[in-house]
Amino acid sequence: MNKLSKKLKIFFMTPEYIFAVLALVFGLASAVLTPQLIGNDENMHFIRSYALTDFEIAHQCTLPKDIKDRGFYAIYAQDKPDYTFNTKPVDENRTIETDCGSASSYNPLLHLPPALGIEVAKVVWPSTGGMILLGRVFSVLAYVVGLFFIIRFAKVGKWLLVIIGLLPVMIHTSGTLTGDVVNNLIVLAFISYIFNLFVLKTVMTKRQLGTLFIFAALLAVTKPSNLPLLLPILFLPKRILPVIVLLNKRIPLFIVRMTFAVLSGLLAISVLFLWMKIQNTSALLDSASARNPMMENPLFFLEILFNTYINPDIIFGGVSYSDWLMRGMAGSFASFKYHLPFSLIFMLLSVFILIGLRRDNAEENLLKGSLRWLTISTLVSLSIVVMVMTYGLYVAWALIFLKGGEQYALGLQGRYFTPLLFLLAPALIYIRRFISVNIAEGIATGVIVFVGMGLSLVYYTIQTVSYIEKLSLLYLG
């Protein structure tokens, strides 16, 4: 009995263990239970993942007709989409030249986990149903393993990483075919690594500097809007910066900082433009080519921000758009077909703030002398990313797609911001100087996180089963 108690104590005191158990159980359950190809643009991500197994990376590709027919159904039309588990073997000899869909612009790295799952399925379970399922399973495994090690090596905000990683929307996303799993892992890993640099007490090594540059390149693999996350490099603590002597003169530390930031930015931009060149695309230039009222009146952007994030009169999906975005950060599922109730969103937000304000002397001592600038730089980075995303989605949807028919950033989704919640960790640690929560040492924190996140995931799973039943009745009707 004492041995069991000891193991339970270790479990509840180890953030990555709690994450791994809950994420693996509910992630796999979600992968199996969620109707196939009902996730956000999952049909396009299925096409992209399959194409990569044949080393097809362009917008135009050669696919088996069975794959094209399954992937290009009218999910947003009035026709009944095919969410079933199709067991018919794919005829790979019957191929067709086709457009590889909207997800073909994604860097191949983002679809590596589902592509590996599909490659295995082509051998052991060569039906579209088997490919989609194994692609989802590999995505869940990549998510669990990746975030497990991010949490393990994080020196700041471990428990907040667990909460973010276990938000139902993150678990739902991990159980679908998408490029967002790798995107979220890269973003969270980069932010965590920046935090780790700020707690260093000695000069950073060449290996640590090289790792920073590698992360900058990986960040460019995700989305262009994530590049402002490089901003905190400009505020790295003096104590970790190496002494550089040029022509017998010591280079000022602010120039060293600037050099690291510029090199990181240039590397990221180079990777981004190299991929754009390979894809023969100009996604970054689309916004400049569209007729944009913000170019004529820059203050109009303030109105867009207000309408998108505050104005209660902007209604979408039966609720205010700001409410819809907030729900999407924690729990909107199956291409917005169902979502968590506001009461559960409030509970998750409360757990996030409670743990963020939890007194942790060890964590606070690590950031002594660095916390202020880390807080400022991360909040500024978050603000810039939000504005870049808002501007980009407003241009892409309201101006280009809808020809200026909307006065807010239609197309923006709450899940885009979910991994960025980790940028709030330094601000919450800073607020502890004025308001803090004392939680008993030992297993208390782990129990709160396990119960709170576990209950939300149980509710999400029940919602999914209920949705399956409604979907069946709808089709039978």
Side-chain angles (χ1 to χ4, degrees), residues 179-251:
D180 287 341
V181 169
V182 175
N183 172 84
N184 293 340
L185 289 175
I186 290 174
V187 170
L188 290 171
F190 177 81
I191 297 172
S192 182
Y193 188 72
I194 289 292
F195 291 174
N196 285 356
L197 290 180
F198 270 79
V199 304
L200 286 177
K201 302 303 180 185
T202 58
V203 175
M204 64 192 306
T205 64
K206 292 180 180 178
R207 182 177 179 179
Q208 289 169 329
L209 180 59
T211 303
L212 177 62
F213 291 151
I214 291 172
F215 269 124
L218 287 174
L219 203 61
V221 168
T222 58
K223 299 173 183 176
S225 58
N226 287 328
L227 294 186
L229 297 178
L230 296 169
L231 180 67
I233 298 174
L234 288 172
F235 300 90
L236 289 173
K238 292 181 180 180
R239 64 178 181 274
I240 76 168
L241 298 175
V243 175
I244 299 177
V245 178
L246 183 64
L247 300 177
N248 296 321
K249 289 186 179 181
R250 180 174 174 175
I251 304 297

Side-chain angles (χ1 to χ4, degrees), residues 123-144:
V123 177
V124 301
W125 204 348
S127 66
T128 56
M131 292 176 187
I132 294 166
L133 178 59
L134 287 186
R136 286 177 165 190
V137 168
F138 271 64
S139 289
V140 171
L141 295 177
Y143 180 68
V144 173

Side-chain angles (χ1 to χ4, degrees), residues 40-42 44-49 51-52 56-59 100-112 114 173 177-184 220-224 226 271-272 275-276 278-279 281 283 393 411 413 415-416:
N40 294 297
D41 296 322
E42 192 176 11
M44 294 292 97
H45 292 288
F46 170 54
I47 294 290
R48 176 60 165 169
S49 300
L52 291 178
E56 300 263 12
I57 65 171
H59 288 290
C100 270
S102 58
S104 60
S105 61
Y106 283 63
N107 191 290
L109 182 62
L110 297 181
H111 287 92
L112 185 59
T173 298
L177 303 182
T178 179
D180 287 341
V181 169
V182 175
N183 172 84
N184 293 340
V221 168
T222 58
K223 299 173 183 176
N226 287 328
V271 171
L272 180 62
W275 176 242
M276 289 171 59
I278 293 172
Q279 284 282 291
T281 181
L393 269 298
Q413 298 176 33
R415 64 190 176 91
Y416 296 163

Side-chain angles (χ1 to χ4, degrees), residues 10 97 185 202 304:
I10 292 173
E97 293 281 341
L185 289 175
T202 58
I304 297 299

